[in-house]
Amino acid sequence: LLAAAGVEGITFEEVARRAQASKQTLYRMWATKQEMVVAAIKAGPAASNKPDPINTGSLRGDLLALLDRLEATMEAGSSVSLTILQAGLRDPTLCEHIEDSVGPTGARLTETVLRSAIDRGELPASADPFAFEEVAAAVLVIRKLNGLSTDATYREALVDAVLIPALQSGVSASQHGIFSGRPTPSKSNQNQ
């Protein structure tokens, strides 16, 4: 249902109908639609995720680990993964709930990775997660949609040639990346 209808299309009624169960049974398991969606994600695309924070001891290693996790999540259920990423754009609370429940998805640069890299002197104190949050997941999604490689060699090149230099620049974007859970809306959307 998540793949077919997206997060907006999920209702307790439809899940109960498809599962041939009562809504009361579902409400005993999950108090909110958000909890039900997170449970579906945990059982599907994010089943291999570990809630543990990523800490390999280096910025490069941490970025590769985040991209590996994102790649694994996307491979496990590509249409559902795209739905999840899109839902995160519209619903920051759901995005936070997913990250808190299943662990880092790889779509955003976690505070622990950023802080550790700053503490190790690999990034300036002014490092802005925008570069990772705007580029990493978007590039992987676009390449996957076009049947292009996102293998380990590609991800290493992305980290070494794009992400690390951008993060090391220390330039503040003064806005949030698309997969940050709180992307900066367009001015036309802000006026609505």
Side-chain angles (χ1 to χ4, degrees), residues 105-120:
T105 60
R108 65 169 67 169
L109 184 62
T110 65
E111 181 61 31
T112 56
V113 167
L114 185 63
R115 179 62 31 216
S116 294
I118 292 169
D119 291 347
R120 287 189 300 264

Side-chain angles (χ1 to χ4, degrees), residues 23-37:
K23 285 194 314 186
Q24 290 74 23
T25 299
L26 298 178
Y27 280 117
R28 278 194 291 274
M29 296 175 73
W30 307 292
T32 66
K33 174 176 140 176
Q34 187 179 69
E35 289 176 8
M36 187 168 53
V37 168

Side-chain angles (χ1 to χ4, degrees), residues 7-8 33-35 37-38 41-42 46 49 70 81-110 133 137 176-183:
V7 173
E8 294 83 14
K33 174 176 140 176
Q34 187 179 69
E35 289 176 8
V37 168
V38 170
I41 293 165
K42 283 171 102 171
N49 278 18
L70 180 59
S81 298
L82 294 176
T83 299
I84 295 164
L85 290 172
Q86 188 175 35
L89 296 175
R90 294 189 188 119
D91 187 348
T93 305
L94 175 62
C95 194
E96 290 296 328
H97 200 55
I98 291 168
E99 293 278 325
D100 291 344
S101 299
V102 303
T105 60
R108 65 169 67 169
L109 184 62
T110 65
E133 294 171 351
H176 300 289
I178 191 169
F179 295 112
S180 67
R182 53 191 186 287

